[in-house]
Amino acid sequence: MSKTHEIKVTKRELQRKGASRRLRHAGVIPAIVYGGTAEPVAISLDHNEIWLAQQNEWFYASILDLNLDGKVERVLLRDMQRHPYKQLIMHLDFLRVNENEALTASVPLHFINEDTSPAGKAADVVVTHELKEVTISCLPKDLPESIEVDLADLNAGDVVYLSNIKLPKGVEIPALALGKDHDDAIVTAKHGKEDAADAEAPAAE
């Protein structure tokens, strides 16, 4: 189960773009909370606080507690709009969470014990992480901030697939229900010579 993280927010009136621009100049991020049976609510957040928070994985994969004058709503971040070149967050979208309904979220994969594995210790083997995150489904109480993939037994020539991940209790990978074609590789371990041969093959043809 992931930890929850509380963020204080302020309610705002839905206004035109000019008002949102003034908020950003004042160091405030306009945002919206939607979903569930309640009406969408326009809010604002402190930019500096969110800028620091968004540098952590939990901001994207954890349930957030939005505190509006003492009333807390549990949400997931669904969208973040950034300025194309400035260190500036333009807008945030949050989705309300129902404790009794399964949610879908992308969580990061943490690969452990790679350096001590047979493949990791071999000088001529290249270990590639094909995926860095995975989309899961679970109840809010079971949502993990990340999922560990143990590579202790990884050997040259091995391929680790989504179906090989040891999932926390209550967590599923929806893609696996769609068949073997959706059981994507998440880690490959190849000899360096094999990679070179693969790269030269199209040219030879």
Side-chain angles (χ1 to χ4, degrees):
M1 177 181 176
S2 65
K3 298 177 181 178
T4 55
H5 304 269
E6 184 171 297
I7 299 174
K8 290 185 177 181
V9 302
T10 303
K11 189 174 181 179
R12 65 183 176 89
E13 298 298 325
L14 283 173
Q15 297 173 318
R16 296 181 178 179
K17 290 184 178 179
S20 294
R21 189 160 49 244
R22 287 192 293 273
L23 285 174
R24 296 187 194 103
H25 283 312
V28 176
I29 306 172
I32 190 144
V33 180
Y34 64 93
T37 57
E39 291 294 318
V41 176
I43 60 172
S44 58
L45 307 91
D46 180 78
H47 188 277
N48 289 339
E49 180 183 356
I50 300 304
W51 183 259
L52 292 174
Q54 60 87 35
Q55 297 177 43
N56 299 281
E57 286 183 340
W58 59 258
F59 188 71
Y60 305 92
S62 297
I63 294 172
L64 307 174
D65 286 349
L66 298 187
N67 187 329
L68 176 59
D69 297 328
K71 181 182 177 182
V72 174
E73 283 206 282
R74 308 197 77 199
V75 301
L76 279 173
L77 176 69
R78 274 296 181 246
D79 187 55
M80 176 188 290
Q81 297 175 22
R82 301 173 183 268
H83 194 278
Y85 57 88
K86 295 180 181 179
Q87 290 189 341
L88 186 66
I89 300 170
M90 306 291 287
H91 194 273
L92 297 169
D93 289 8
F94 295 102
L95 176 67
R96 293 187 182 97
V97 168
N98 185 326
E99 298 293 339
N100 299 313
E101 292 182 2
L103 55 83
T104 300
S106 293
V107 299
L109 296 173
H110 287 177
F111 301 97
I112 62 173
N113 298 322
E114 178 182 324
D115 293 342
T116 57
S117 69
K121 291 189 290 186
D124 62 337
V125 175
V126 178
V127 178
T128 304
H129 300 168
E130 304 291 347
L131 296 177
K132 295 183 179 179
E133 62 181 23
V134 62
T135 299
I136 63 169
S137 176
C138 64
L139 290 174
K141 68 181 181 64
D142 296 321
L143 180 64
E145 290 190 2
S146 62
I147 294 177
E148 287 189 346
V149 180
D150 193 346
L151 302 179
D153 298 324
L154 187 69
N155 290 286
D158 285 352
V159 179
V160 181
Y161 293 93
L162 286 174
S163 58
N164 299 133
I165 297 177
K166 185 177 181 180
L167 296 172
K169 183 179 178 181
V171 176
E172 298 178 350
I173 298 177
L176 295 179
L178 302 177
K180 291 184 178 180
D181 290 343
H182 297 269
D183 190 9
D184 296 333
I186 58 174
V187 175
T188 58
K190 294 183 179 181
H191 286 286
K193 293 181 180 179
E194 293 178 21
D195 289 343
D198 291 342
E200 292 174 3
E205 292 173 1

